[in-house]
Amino acid sequence: MSLPLPDLPDVLVLGLPRLTAGFGDAARLDRRAHLAVHGSIPRLTEDELTRLAEAVALRGRGGAGFPFARKVRAVGGAARRRGTRPVVVVNGCEGEPACRKDAVLLRRAPHLVLDGALLAAEALGARTLVIGVTRTGTEASVREALGERGLSDRRGRAVRARVVRLPERMVSGESSALLRAASGGPALPPGPRGHATTAGLGGLPTLLSNTETYAQLALAARLGTPRYASTGTPDEPGTVLLTVSGAVPFPRVVEAPGGVALSYVLAQCGAEAAPQGVLVGGYHGGWLDAAAAAGTALSRGALAAHGATLGAGAVLPLSGDTCPLGEAVRVAHWLAAESAGQCGPCRLGLPTLAGALADVVAGGGRGALEAVLEAAGAVRGRGACGHPDGAARFTLSALAAFTDDLAAHVLGGGCGRPTAGLLPLPGDGNTESGNAAGKRLAVDWTLCEGHGLCAGLLPELVRMGPDGFPALADAGVPGHLRGRAQRAVRRCPALALRLDDP
């Protein structure tokens, strides 16, 4: 097993610190320390803000990488057409277990994030600021930062600011889930309902972007384009924040120049010289094989050439002593259990996809491999959010990156290596939320008669195997499924199903 990924990992800086400036002197930069490190921020008009974002090629740092300037233009234009004020929303909900960069920013440099959000709010004439978070420590830091600035949700304020706490789940990081929760609804994606830039929170034009995006905006406003672009590449100036875990001695959040070589980052984090593969972009991201990982840079263009994207900035190398497809099975089962449960192709399709991949690893042959491809095709493009697409991308990229291992499992007796559990999942280590996967389903095979009721009640974690008996996911029971898991245990006709401690 790898070291658990803590809620607040240590920070490593490659080059000169920018987002992490001052971290060597303070565990958290309060308002006074923040101003001492970064200085005051200039005021910008909407046009100036847009031109700045274009000049530094600022894109969203939460996954999609959408150009920030285009968002600002869309929100400003929609607000003027409708004669209303827009809303600014900070998405600090890191739903992926392998990501911690936003948590580090909001807990250690919250005022840098608020600077960028308030800069955008003033330029657009917004009077409402919402910050979405999922962890207790992050929420406390943001609330403290708002208090240090005298910001609150009270009427009569120039800007009304509030924090929204969401469950620590994969789908919480989806932008529409955050907007729905901020409106008082469940933290679940509502399905395709237009774009936030024209009709977001409360139906108002909404500028919604990731935590790091706003922090980068604040830096660019202070430094100006030439100084901001003095590091990184011409196409991707500035720095990036990465969460590096997996087969490394210590998980870290890393600030590095844009376009830095992936191999250099891994070497500085203590990874082995030639990992058998690297997952880039988190659990909705893609795998790079050993050759691609050795020769690519962490830039959009370089990663796109390998069918990958930096996404939310998670980087996870795998050492050669673990089964890579077995690692992928663990994550695929977790992704299936993270379904919002609103769409059939997701709720039923992702467990089918994970189960088919497990069959491949167990020696299911060509039939199991064909089942994986069929299941992936069945879920893509059919969900209310991007979760099924991301899960399919993760699974298919694993098959493409580890072809030798795939052949060994499909055509032979397997790769001969155990699954070490190097990819972090909830329940592997520290968590603040109490929502980490805990108990696990188990079957007393001396009692089980293969009724299949458990698979009908809990398809995210149980499916019927080819032998007519239940096959259990290699995952703990997450908090949002605990009630249905207990119901499945109670209703088992043979009393064979139980919940065990991990």
Side-chain angles (χ1 to χ4, degrees):
M1 294 285 288
S2 64
L3 286 175
L5 182 56
D7 285 309
L8 196 64
D10 290 338
V11 172
L12 173 67
V13 181
L14 305 180
L16 294 176
R18 287 192 170 181
L19 295 167
T20 59
F23 281 18
D25 299 319
R28 177 185 179 275
L29 300 178
D30 61 16
R31 178 69 169 149
R32 178 176 296 180
H34 166 73
L35 290 173
V37 170
H38 293 286
S40 59
I41 192 166
R43 302 175 66 176
L44 300 179
T45 65
E46 180 184 332
D47 185 58
E48 290 170 335
L49 179 70
T50 304
R51 285 191 279 111
L52 173 67
E54 285 180 329
V56 300
L58 181 60
R59 288 175 174 262
R61 303 298 179 97
F66 194 81
F68 188 76
R70 288 172 58 185
K71 279 189 180 182
V72 174
R73 280 202 191 94
V75 171
R80 284 188 292 274
R81 286 192 302 272
R82 296 175 54 184
T84 188
R85 291 188 180 275
V87 176
V88 173
V89 178
V90 179
N91 189 348
C93 303
E94 287 183 301
E96 293 216 22
C99 294
R100 291 292 188 274
K101 67 181 181 68
D102 290 346
V104 165
L105 278 177
L106 289 172
R107 288 183 63 171
R108 301 197 62 183
H111 288 285
L112 193 61
V113 180
L114 292 180
D115 275 350
L118 292 169
L119 179 69
E122 183 176 21
L124 289 167
R127 296 292 175 83
T128 301
L129 171 62
V130 175
I131 305 100
V133 300
T134 56
R135 297 185 177 94
T136 302
T138 306
E139 180 183 12
S141 176
V142 174
R143 290 190 183 280
E144 185 177 355
L146 292 178
E148 290 166 355
R149 288 174 176 257
L151 293 172
S152 72
D153 196 25
R154 295 175 59 184
R155 293 181 181 275
R157 302 276 178 162
V159 176
R160 296 180 63 178
R162 60 190 173 98
V163 182
V164 176
R165 177 78 178 272
L166 282 73
E168 194 174 335
R169 292 192 58 193
M170 186 76 161
V171 294
S172 295
E174 210 276 336
S175 59
S176 64
L178 170 55
L179 294 178
R180 194 176 182 187
S183 299
L188 299 172
R193 295 188 181 181
H195 201 280
T197 55
T198 54
L201 184 61
L204 297 172
T206 300
L207 180 67
L208 189 155
S209 205
N210 163 265
T211 294
E212 185 190 344
T213 313
Y214 286 111
Q216 294 283 3
L217 178 66
L219 282 177
R222 284 185 169 91
L223 297 175
T225 303
R227 287 182 61 199
Y228 185 88
S230 63
T231 190
T233 68
D235 292 334
E236 299 180 40
T239 63
V240 294
L241 280 185
L242 311 167
T243 309
V244 182
S245 61
V248 293
F250 301 100
R252 298 178 187 272
V253 166
V254 179
E255 183 177 14
V260 67
L262 173 58
S263 59
Y264 176 72
V265 172
L266 295 179
Q268 295 303 304
C269 290
E272 64 182 38
Q276 63 171 322
V278 181
L279 178 62
V280 179
Y283 297 158
H284 277 176
W287 287 96
L288 301 176
D289 62 24
T296 194
L298 292 174
S299 68
R300 287 188 301 276
L303 291 172
H306 299 287
T309 176
L310 190 57
V315 176
L316 301 102
L318 281 189
S319 56
D321 57 357
T322 188
C323 172
L325 296 180
E327 297 282 351
V329 167
R330 292 179 63 246
V331 175
H333 279 309
W334 180 82
L335 289 170
E338 281 296 293
S339 166
Q342 300 181 130
C343 311
C346 184
R347 180 172 182 257
L348 302 176
L350 293 189
T352 300
L353 177 62
L357 184 61
D359 289 343
V360 169
V361 174
R366 294 184 183 274
L369 178 58
E370 291 172 0
V372 172
L373 301 178
E374 181 180 353
V379 301
R380 283 184 294 184
R382 300 180 65 192
C385 67
H387 183 55
D389 290 350
R393 179 167 51 250
F394 168 86
T395 303
L396 294 177
S397 73
L399 300 182
F402 303 111
T403 53
D404 290 345
D405 295 88
L406 179 62
H409 284 283
V410 171
L411 302 176
C415 68
R417 288 170 292 177
T419 300
L422 296 179
L423 302 182
L425 289 173
D428 289 346
N430 299 326
T431 181
E432 297 178 336
S433 66
N435 290 330
K439 292 183 177 295
R440 302 177 72 92
L441 288 171
V443 174
D444 184 338
W445 297 111
T446 65
L447 298 176
C448 181
E449 298 176 359
H451 293 95
L453 184 61
C454 53
L457 291 172
L458 198 62
E460 297 91 341
L461 295 173
V462 185
R463 67 187 181 100
M464 297 307 292
D467 60 356
F469 286 89
L472 306 183
D474 182 18
V477 179
H480 65 281
L481 293 179
R482 202 160 294 152
R484 283 204 280 126
Q486 293 169 340
R487 191 178 311 124
V489 169
R490 290 195 301 268
R491 295 184 62 181
C492 176
L495 302 179
L497 189 67
R498 65 178 188 269
L499 280 169
D500 287 347
D501 292 325

